[in-house]
Amino acid sequence: MTEFAIVGRGWRADFYLRLARELAHDVVGVVTRSPERGHEVERAWDVPTYRSVAKLLAATEPRFVVTSVAKSANPDVIRELVDRGTPVLAETPPAPTLDSLRELWATAGESGLVQVAEQYPFQPMHMARQELVRRGLIGTPTSVEVSSTHDYHAVALIRGLLGVGFSPIEVAGRRFTSQLLRGPDRSGWPSADELVETQQTVATLDFGSGRMGLYDFTYNQWWHPLRTHRHVVRGTHGEIVDDRVMRMADVRSPVLSRIERRQAGVDSNLEGFALDTLSVDAGVLWRNPYFPKRLSDEEIAIATCLDRMAAWTQHDGPAPYPLAEACQDQLIALAIAQACDTGQPVTTTEEAWAA
């Protein structure tokens, strides 16, 4: 059992509370400044609430604390926890602007206490693609296209699949506005058909040495069924396009395979309703560590963040996503915005980060 606490009542907080209940973790407390919301948490989740970080830590001893607050408030909460010597799993982004990123790094970066809850690389299909790249099935990766999520999330996927570091990167980008039928959002489906203006951002990330990333995101693409997700990894010896894998069997024989999902609970299968494995041909790429729990891919990814954070705090596993990497990916996301705003390429370097 992992004992952790949560600061904030952001939208993500309920994910952690649900997963703690499902996976037998123990949320020892939630910090919320509102007594009314505190009472709601206590009634719904049977978790004690506190009005400040100081009161939480005076009454409990969490292994780590998850921050689920507005991005503008995140740096101050992270710093307060670090000042008290408490490991932090911070929701994304750790800070919203370049100045706040620099200030956060200057005050908390050297502590070694901060990881960031970047869940996207831990989603099952992304883990399977990572494993295909690791096994060398497409040779050396040379380009990655991500069209599914935004900003630092997409940058984390691009860098992870390419296996590249941070500096220097030349970023160019543009925004386009067009009409699209309104789709669902966090509050659910719209009640009527309505055309709305939506913004598409397209950017290229030149990492040098023949490696590049293509960022393509349309607002609300996370949930919109008319703007499907697309993930492409091209390598020297093949490519991955979503669930399709193309490579050479020999010098003149290209072969196509698919990443197959084994989903229990379909037809007469009574193992429960859960994702079991992702495989290609005869080999398993990824196995669900929470099977047969009934979890979505997103919940599996967040649960993986929690478990890796717990192992890391016990010196029993690698750092899940260090603050340094999160700051770098946020810096690249800010460079995309700057390139779109100015119409000019932007080069991110370690010198610019430290300026």
Side-chain angles (χ1 to χ4, degrees), residues 37-106:
R37 299 197 74 178
H39 295 324
E40 291 175 4
V41 172
E42 291 168 0
R43 287 195 300 269
W45 300 102
D46 192 26
V47 172
T49 61
Y50 303 89
R51 302 297 162 259
S52 69
V53 168
K55 291 180 178 178
L56 166 76
L57 297 180
T60 67
E61 294 183 357
R63 187 177 300 180
F64 59 88
V65 175
V66 174
T67 65
S68 182
V69 297
K71 60 184 178 182
S72 59
N74 213 11
D76 287 339
V77 176
I78 293 170
R79 275 191 290 268
E80 182 177 2
L81 289 162
V82 166
D83 287 345
R84 296 175 181 275
T86 303
V88 182
L89 180 61
E91 267 297 339
T92 54
T97 66
L98 180 56
D99 286 343
S100 60
L101 279 172
R102 288 170 173 160
E103 183 180 356
L104 177 61
W105 181 255

Side-chain angles (χ1 to χ4, degrees), residues 63-330:
R63 187 177 300 180
F64 59 88
V65 175
V66 174
T67 65
S68 182
V69 297
K71 60 184 178 182
S72 59
N74 213 11
D76 287 339
V77 176
I78 293 170
R79 275 191 290 268
E80 182 177 2
L81 289 162
V82 166
D83 287 345
R84 296 175 181 275
T86 303
V88 182
L89 180 61
E91 267 297 339
T92 54
T97 66
L98 180 56
D99 286 343
S100 60
L101 279 172
R102 288 170 173 160
E103 183 180 356
L104 177 61
W105 181 255
T107 54
E110 299 298 329
S111 69
L113 291 173
V114 184
Q115 300 290 318
V116 176
E118 179 52 69
Q119 82 279 7
Y120 276 88
F122 298 131
Q123 286 185 355
M125 280 298 292
H126 293 315
M127 295 281 280
R129 295 184 190 105
Q130 282 274 19
E131 180 63 13
L132 283 169
V133 171
R134 189 193 69 79
R135 294 183 185 183
L137 262 69
I138 62 167
T140 301
T142 55
S143 71
V144 173
E145 174 187 347
V146 171
S147 183
S148 61
T149 188
H150 71 310
D151 293 350
Y152 37 84
H153 297 308
V155 173
L157 290 174
I158 290 170
R159 286 205 312 117
L161 287 164
L162 275 178
V164 295
F166 171 62
S167 176
I169 303 163
E170 184 177 282
V171 180
R174 288 191 62 187
R175 297 190 186 98
F176 305 88
T177 300
S178 59
Q179 288 195 320
L180 177 65
L181 197 67
R182 184 184 294 278
D185 56 25
R186 290 181 182 181
S187 61
W189 285 88
S191 58
D193 287 352
E194 179 187 3
L195 285 175
V196 295
E197 285 196 342
T198 188
Q199 191 173 81
Q200 180 182 10
T201 301
V202 180
T204 57
L205 311 178
D206 185 350
F207 295 92
S209 301
R211 297 166 302 176
M212 66 86 65
L214 178 61
Y215 171 99
D216 182 355
F217 180 71
T218 300
Y219 181 74
N220 201 34
Q221 190 172 348
W222 310 284
W223 301 298
H224 206 304
L226 303 183
R227 292 295 180 266
T228 54
H229 295 183
R230 180 173 171 82
H231 303 96
V232 179
V233 188
R234 287 179 169 170
T236 55
H237 291 66
E239 71 173 10
I240 305 165
V241 181
D242 299 329
D243 64 346
R244 303 185 303 279
V245 185
M246 178 66 76
R247 76 259 194 214
M248 300 298 292
D250 55 47
V251 71
R252 63 176 303 278
S253 303
V255 294
L256 175 66
S257 303
R258 288 186 180 272
I259 301 173
E260 301 288 349
R261 296 175 67 102
R262 181 179 186 272
Q263 178 74 39
V266 178
D267 294 330
S268 298
N269 182 283
L270 301 179
E271 294 178 77
F273 194 79
L275 173 61
D276 182 16
T277 59
L278 296 172
S279 61
V280 66
D281 298 332
V284 173
L285 298 170
W286 175 89
R287 188 179 301 277
N288 186 358
Y290 308 106
F291 185 85
K293 297 291 186 181
R294 189 169 181 168
L295 302 178
S296 68
D297 285 8
E298 180 79 349
E299 289 169 327
I300 290 169
I302 297 171
T304 302
C305 284
L306 279 173
D307 286 346
R308 292 194 177 203
M309 181 68 180
W312 175 74
T313 59
Q314 296 297 302
H315 309 288
D316 192 29
Y321 189 67
L323 178 62
E325 290 191 36
C327 287
Q328 291 167 0
D329 288 340
Q330 171 68 335

